[in-house]
Amino acid sequence: MMRKTQVYQLRISSQDKQQAFAVFEALGITPAQAIRLLFKHVIATQSLPVELAPLITQQDQNQIR
């Protein structure tokens, strides 16, 4: 039997986490809600809600590979 939900963990810098969580709090949503919204958007549009090129640093590119 397949579970209805699954746990997914990720690593993120402390600074990115603090800044993102502050934005989520200001928006009145939890981090989990934000991630669920991201996943729903990706599924519905088959794309990301942002243009990635300006956001990806060299360090990010190294971690992706």
Side-chain angles (χ1 to χ4, degrees), residues 34-57:
I35 298 299
R36 282 192 214 78
L37 288 169
L38 171 65
F39 275 53
K40 294 286 186 184
H41 175 86
V42 169
I43 292 165
T45 66
Q46 296 292 296
S47 67
L48 292 171
V50 297
E51 183 181 343
L52 293 180
L55 301 176
I56 298 177
T57 65

Side-chain angles (χ1 to χ4, degrees), residues 1-9 32 35-36 39:
M1 187 168 124
M2 195 165 145
R3 296 161 87 182
K4 290 187 178 189
T5 62
Q6 294 185 357
V7 175
Y8 183 81
Q9 294 180 338
I35 298 299
R36 282 192 214 78
F39 275 53

